[in-house]
Amino acid sequence: MTTPDFEATADAFGLLADPVRVEIVDALWQSEGTPVPYSDVRDAVGLRDSGRFNYHLSKLTDHFVEKTEDGYRLRPTGLLVVNAVYAGSYVDAPSREGIDVDGACPTCGASLVGEYDAGMFRVSCADCDTQLFMLSFSPQGVARRDDEELLDAVSLHARAHTRRTSGGLCPFCGGSMTSDLELDAKTGLPLSTLVLTDCQNCGATNRSSVGFSVLEHPVVSGFLHEHGVAGNAPPWQFDWCLSDDPVTVESRDPPRVAVDVTAKGADETLRVTVGADGRVAGTERVDAGAQ
């Protein structure tokens, strides 16, 4: 794992320690990449005291803002600041609970419910409290959506997340990720067969069921599409993403498993083989009765 430069990062955050500076960054963001003359930036912020405005602008220049012959524009680091502002990353997050996610618990068969709190979206069993899904999601992505819209958004976010991790790209820092198949993982989940993905840069670890890890594989996506499954269907609606029941251990040394991907009403099953490196090693279509 890479050792980050904490001092430089703290200095950068310190440069934003005034609302006026954040407003300057936002004003430049509104220009959509076009350099903005000094007077226009000042007017957009609405600060009449030129001395105070110059002071705050100078603190941002060369770090979050670039000065050009035609004016000022955001640097890529400034864009990251804007993203965090509009995502609501540093403000109090809303709470939502009791969301019907249209899924069944693989442990007891009761209905699954969703909740959002402290920046995390979770899906758990309404009766036995088994937690089956958890992923961070931006507060503003919750505040402006009703329950149905939120579920669609979280599903898209989850699918993008697993597409990145399975492709070896850390969704948090952009670093390289390595993956491994673990057969006997100790978890509080109704499964012990997991694909573990670790970032070599920031050290982030992603744990997913075998089914969830292959959800975005093109062969799996094609199979589901062929059988009428929506491309943004959430993972908690697939039994083969929630437990070890659809998983068969083919080898323990090296670890190798097969997961049966099914679609409601289909007369065939897609058997997906996953190797020791946590990646798809092969696929095969079999009769549904051969599971």
Side-chain angles (χ1 to χ4, degrees):
M1 184 176 73
T2 303
T3 301
D5 191 332
F6 294 115
E7 183 174 350
T9 303
D11 289 343
F13 274 103
L15 295 175
L16 297 167
D18 191 287
V20 171
R21 299 176 196 175
V22 180
E23 289 185 55
I24 291 173
V25 170
D26 180 57
L28 293 175
W29 157 249
Q30 302 298 334
S31 73
E32 300 181 349
T34 303
V36 183
Y38 169 89
S39 59
D40 290 351
V41 182
R42 183 179 158 192
D43 289 343
V45 173
L47 191 61
R48 294 186 177 183
D49 187 334
S50 59
R52 185 182 171 202
F53 178 79
N54 290 340
Y55 172 75
H56 290 305
L57 181 59
S58 68
K59 289 295 183 181
L60 297 171
T61 304
D62 297 332
H63 294 279
F64 298 105
V65 172
E66 177 184 4
K67 184 178 181 180
T68 72
E69 293 182 356
D70 299 319
Y72 295 84
R73 65 184 176 192
L74 276 187
R75 294 169 60 91
T77 48
L79 181 59
L80 293 176
V81 173
V82 174
N83 290 342
V85 169
Y86 281 98
S89 301
Y90 303 110
V91 299
D92 291 338
S95 295
R96 194 89 63 89
E97 60 183 15
I99 304 172
D100 180 7
V101 300
D102 189 23
C105 175
T107 301
C108 70
S111 298
L112 299 180
V113 294
E115 66 173 0
Y116 181 83
D117 184 53
M120 301 295 294
F121 183 85
R122 298 176 176 85
V123 173
S124 306
C125 176
D127 285 357
C128 68
D129 292 330
T130 299
Q131 182 173 290
L132 298 162
F133 177 86
M134 180 178 71
L135 190 65
S136 61
F137 192 70
S138 65
Q140 286 302 318
V142 178
R144 297 178 179 273
R145 291 184 170 98
D146 60 25
D147 287 353
E148 183 177 354
E149 293 169 335
L150 175 59
L151 293 179
D152 287 342
V154 172
S155 179
L156 288 172
H157 178 56
R159 283 172 166 272
H161 183 93
T162 195
R163 187 162 56 248
R164 288 183 176 185
T165 55
S166 62
L169 175 67
C170 179
F172 304 108
C173 74
S176 298
M177 302 194 85
T178 58
S179 57
D180 297 283
L181 176 65
E182 185 169 339
L183 301 181
D184 301 303
K186 295 181 179 180
T187 71
L189 305 172
L191 48 83
S192 58
T193 306
L194 298 176
V195 172
L196 305 179
T197 313
D198 298 303
C199 178
Q200 304 304 294
N201 179 52
C202 70
T205 298
N206 184 76
R207 304 188 308 167
S208 66
S209 68
V210 177
F212 189 24
S213 73
V214 305
L215 181 59
E216 285 295 297
H217 189 275
V219 177
V220 176
S221 297
F223 176 82
L224 295 175
H225 176 74
E226 183 179 328
H227 290 90
V229 179
N232 64 340
W236 53 80
Q237 291 184 359
F238 299 119
D239 294 341
W240 43 272
C241 284
L242 301 182
S243 76
D244 280 343
D245 291 344
V247 177
T248 302
V249 177
E250 296 186 339
S251 170
R252 300 194 70 86
D253 188 16
R256 185 182 180 92
V257 302
V259 56
D260 287 333
V261 175
T262 58
K264 187 177 295 185
D267 58 2
E268 61 180 348
T269 294
L270 180 67
R271 185 159 293 164
V272 182
T273 302
V274 176
D277 61 357
R279 301 186 184 280
V280 173
T283 62
E284 176 188 11
R285 294 196 183 207
V286 299
D287 291 338
Q291 297 180 47

